[in-house]
Amino acid sequence: MIAFGPVPSRRLGRSLGINNIPPKVCTYSCAYCQLGRTIKMQVDRRAFYQPEEILKDVEEKVKRAREVGESIDYLTFVPDGEPTLDINLGHEIELLKPLGIKIAVITNASLIGREDVRDDLMKADWVSLKVDSIREDVWRRINRPHRTLQLASILDGMLEFAKAYGGKPRCGELATETMLVEGVNDSDDYLKEVADFLAQLRPARAYLSIPTRPPAEKWVQPPSEEVINQAYQLLGKRIDHVEYLIGYEGNAFAFTSNVEEDLLSITAVHPMREGAVRKFLSRAETDWPVVHKLIEENQLVETEYGGKRFYMRKLHGGDEL
Ligand code: SF4
């Protein structure tokens, strides 16, 4: 099955996934990969499926979704491997465009030093690039790249792509994703370097994520809420829109008028300062016991940064697209 869904996605609304790479062919073998260790490491682009076969499968799924009144916000290339290894990616995006649905690609960016890969990604409406570390040794430990890949060329490629993609008029929406692994890339120094680099990319949104499903390697652990908050604050100093993905489908924008649910939804996306929580509670005509209750129920966590108190959603396992 090449197309799957639509499934709800915090970042992309209702997303129809496209699996354009067979499991699991990748340029990386990330220690945190939820698909397990990479079966076939490769860096050469090649054809995997016929583009027409992908189009046919997507068309069928879109038709079926429309028949039952299900909306689709994005067609998303999010395969069991690295989507840019598919040499037909650009052609496939062009074939899918007439369906009138925006197209997203979630890539590890390892091949973005290549001009043909950048050209293919330029055709998409939304692109997410993986930036877990910009230090060679950390990158090797966390992403475990194919031996021929060069970090410098990847970083240069990202900068070049971001410049063109974010040009005027803006071609598409650029997002980044940084996976935090405890004790590997979550120190202040490393995160400041990542923040400086992301600031140059100027993404519309920078996402911080944590491993929420069983990782390829047992030693991989998510950092604590406190460290995630620290990371959020550090990135927030350099980038306008930072959000985290912690395995809980929060939605900071859809209010349900249930105070507890809304508070958990907001704090699943970013930490809230004590003052902001108080303001929120007073607007909802309620008081601090709500916060106590959520902390007692282990749903909310109180943490400190820079002498200020923050509240964030307790980490939970779950799937994120
Ligand atoms: S890039 Fe994605 S698919 Fe490839 S190993 Fe890393 S997490 Fe897994």
Side-chain angles (χ1 to χ4, degrees):
M1 191 178 51
I2 296 172
F4 59 94
V7 293
S9 153
R10 237 247 345 270
R11 290 181 284 183
L12 297 167
R14 294 191 61 77
S15 159
L16 188 88
I18 303 171
N19 205 346
N20 65 323
I21 302 282
K24 183 203 156 179
V25 187
C26 197
T27 51
Y28 284 173
S29 184
C30 299
Y32 57 75
C33 186
Q34 61 193 23
L35 304 166
R37 288 186 187 160
T38 299
I39 299 165
K40 187 163 182 359
M41 297 264 307
Q42 72 173 63
V43 287
D44 295 324
R45 302 188 83 195
R46 69 173 182 86
F48 293 92
Y49 300 104
Q50 289 295 325
E52 290 70 23
E53 194 188 339
I54 292 183
L55 174 66
K56 194 164 156 264
D57 204 34
V58 173
E59 273 177 337
E60 270 170 26
K61 292 278 182 331
V62 169
K63 187 166 163 261
R64 218 175 297 158
R66 284 180 175 156
E67 275 166 7
V68 295
E70 270 191 281
S71 62
I72 300 173
D73 300 305
Y74 277 93
L75 303 175
T76 309
F77 285 84
V78 54
D80 295 337
E82 169 48 33
T84 61
L85 276 170
D86 179 1
I87 200 151
N88 292 317
L89 178 65
H91 179 44
E92 286 153 11
I93 293 173
E94 269 161 5
L95 284 178
L96 293 168
K97 287 230 157 157
L99 292 174
I101 305 170
K102 285 195 210 162
I103 295 171
V105 182
I106 297 179
T107 170
N108 67 18
S110 57
L111 301 179
I112 206 163
R114 291 175 59 140
E115 196 177 350
D116 59 341
V117 169
R118 292 197 296 276
D119 289 347
D120 284 357
L121 291 174
M122 286 294 294
K123 294 175 183 162
D125 301 286
W126 187 96
V127 172
S128 171
L129 307 177
K130 186 190 287 299
V131 187
D132 292 339
S133 177
I134 61 158
R135 269 202 203 188
E136 183 88 22
D137 54 335
V138 180
W139 172 65
R140 290 199 180 281
R141 187 151 177 236
I142 196 166
N143 298 126
R144 303 191 296 189
H146 187 277
R147 64 190 153 74
T148 59
L149 289 170
Q150 302 287 334
L151 181 60
S153 143
I154 295 171
L155 299 178
D156 285 349
M158 284 201 239
L159 290 170
E160 199 161 335
F161 176 73
K163 206 159 64 184
Y165 198 59
K168 289 190 177 89
R170 193 169 245 284
C171 308
E173 192 170 317
L174 183 68
T176 60
E177 183 170 345
T178 302
M179 178 72 89
L180 298 174
V181 176
E182 187 186 35
V184 181
N185 65 341
D186 63 345
S187 75
D188 277 14
D189 285 352
Y190 294 165
L191 288 165
K192 275 182 199 152
E193 290 170 2
V194 167
D196 287 344
F197 181 73
L198 295 183
Q200 293 179 64
L201 293 182
R202 299 198 300 128
R205 237 165 260 274
Y207 291 95
L208 282 170
S209 55
I210 55 161
T212 54
R213 288 198 271 184
E217 305 304 333
K218 283 204 184 79
W219 55 262
V220 169
Q221 294 294 331
S224 64
E225 283 89 354
E226 198 182 348
V227 172
I228 296 171
N229 183 30
Q230 252 166 24
Y232 178 91
Q233 306 301 335
L234 284 173
L235 261 59
K237 283 186 186 147
R238 304 298 318 272
I239 301 142
D240 287 342
H241 299 288
V242 184
E243 287 187 16
Y244 46 63
L245 302 167
I246 56 172
Y248 172 79
E249 283 291 327
N251 184 347
F253 312 105
F255 290 97
T256 61
S257 74
N258 175 322
V259 181
E260 291 182 18
E261 265 178 42
D262 289 345
L263 200 56
L264 290 174
S265 286
I266 300 168
T267 55
V269 180
H270 51 73
M272 266 176 111
R273 278 194 187 179
E274 184 179 351
V277 176
R278 289 197 186 278
K279 221 184 259 176
F280 173 84
L281 292 175
S282 99
R283 267 208 310 272
E285 296 178 356
T286 181
D287 221 332
W288 204 252
V290 174
V291 173
H292 281 311
K293 178 173 172 273
L294 291 175
I295 291 174
E296 263 164 36
E297 289 172 357
N298 217 13
Q299 299 205 68
L300 200 67
V301 174
E302 186 182 272
T303 177
E304 259 189 46
Y305 181 77
K308 298 204 166 58
R309 251 200 292 261
F310 289 85
Y311 294 85
M312 62 184 285
R313 184 80 162 84
K314 174 88 181 151
L315 301 181
H316 284 266
D319 300 349
E320 286 286 352
L321 185 69

